[in-house]
Amino acid sequence: LGSTKILAENLGVELIVTDAGGDATKEISDAEDTLAKGVDALLLSPVAPDAVAPIAERAASMGIPVIVWGSEINTDKVTSKVVSDDMFFGEEGGRKLVADLGGKGNVIMLRGIAGNSTEQARYDGAIKAFEGTDIKIVGEEYGGWAFDKGKSITESLLAAHPEIDGVWSSGAAMTRGAIQAFQEAGRPLVPMSGEN
């Protein structure tokens, strides 16, 4: 976000930023409020591909360019998309975990936001990487890509599973939370995936 603010400032563009905190209803409300202000373009990082589509379509019908980044949206009424290959992300993290664990072990999965296309693609990629191995998924929870939630769900999974050999994570902040949870529980660190 910092580089976006700098770019907007350099271009002399007013940037209005909202954060729905993973809540599709709030994201739609925020977008409606933003459109009511008469913006010249709308950037969306859809929380849910179906729920957010109507607001993108409404903006497009008003002649406002819609740029989608980070997550998919279930409409073609957008000007452009900036998305990564999230299936590849999940699969590569899964492959590295398989390699680090020698193809076997108990793994927990720290997932992003339920219903989010990015989260689902990353998870599906990891599952694909685990196929044909002796990796056993002993637990999985949604942590909303947040540090505090990643830490708390890891604490719960640590309490429920005395043997965890690896952690697959859909995002960096949750991995940081997992590291802290392992350390505070006095458990040795294990291979973990994540971002950056």
Side-chain angles (χ1 to χ4, degrees), residues 114-153:
N116 181 280
S117 63
T118 297
E119 195 292 318
Q120 190 63 52
R122 289 178 178 188
Y123 178 80
D124 292 346
I127 296 301
K128 183 177 177 185
F130 296 158
E131 290 174 0
T133 71
D134 290 321
I135 297 293
K136 181 180 177 188
I137 299 168
V138 296
E140 60 183 68
E141 296 287 340
Y142 290 100
W145 290 312
F147 171 82
D148 59 338
K149 290 180 184 175
K151 181 180 176 194
S152 70
I153 63 174

Side-chain angles (χ1 to χ4, degrees), residues 10 33 40 42 49 57 72 79 82 93 96 101 114 121 142 152 179 192-193 195:
N10 289 341
D33 291 347
D40 297 307
L42 182 66
E57 291 169 349
E72 288 293 337
T79 306
V82 181
K96 177 67 173 138
L101 297 176
Y142 290 100
S152 70
I179 291 168
M192 299 184 192
S193 72
E195 293 171 307

Side-chain angles (χ1 to χ4, degrees), residues 3-195:
S3 61
T4 304
K5 287 181 180 179
I6 292 169
L7 178 61
E9 189 175 295
N10 289 341
L11 294 173
V13 174
E14 180 186 355
L15 184 65
I16 301 168
V17 179
T18 62
D19 183 356
D23 181 340
T25 303
K26 183 168 180 349
E27 183 173 34
I28 293 164
S29 175
D30 288 349
E32 287 172 345
D33 291 347
T34 302
L35 290 175
K37 293 177 182 177
V39 296
D40 297 307
L42 182 66
L43 260 66
L44 290 171
S45 182
V47 171
D50 291 319
V52 179
I55 195 73
E57 291 169 349
R58 184 166 144 228
S61 73
M62 296 167 65
I64 297 171
V66 178
I67 299 98
V68 173
W69 64 277
S71 298
E72 288 293 337
I73 192 166
N74 289 338
T75 181
D76 60 357
K77 303 292 183 193
V78 298
T79 306
S80 67
K81 290 182 182 178
V82 181
V83 294
S84 61
D85 185 339
D86 290 302
M87 175 77 86
F88 178 80
F89 171 100
E91 192 170 352
E92 281 302 297
R95 282 187 191 140
K96 177 67 173 138
L97 203 52
V98 168
D100 288 347
L101 297 176
K104 63 182 180 199
N106 293 334
V107 170
I108 59 172
M109 308 280 283
L110 308 182
R111 301 186 63 179
I113 297 171
N116 181 280
S117 63
T118 297
E119 195 292 318
Q120 190 63 52
R122 289 178 178 188
Y123 178 80
D124 292 346
I127 296 301
K128 183 177 177 185
F130 296 158
E131 290 174 0
T133 71
D134 290 321
I135 297 293
K136 181 180 177 188
I137 299 168
V138 296
E140 60 183 68
E141 296 287 340
Y142 290 100
W145 290 312
F147 171 82
D148 59 338
K149 290 180 184 175
K151 181 180 176 194
S152 70
I153 63 174
T154 302
E155 289 168 343
S156 295
L157 291 166
L158 283 168
H161 304 285
E163 186 180 334
I164 297 174
D165 304 305
V167 177
W168 180 88
S169 175
S170 179
M174 292 186 304
T175 305
R176 286 182 34 247
I179 291 168
Q180 194 169 70
F182 268 78
Q183 290 172 328
E184 289 178 5
R187 301 268 291 264
L189 291 178
V190 297
M192 299 184 192
S193 72
E195 293 171 307

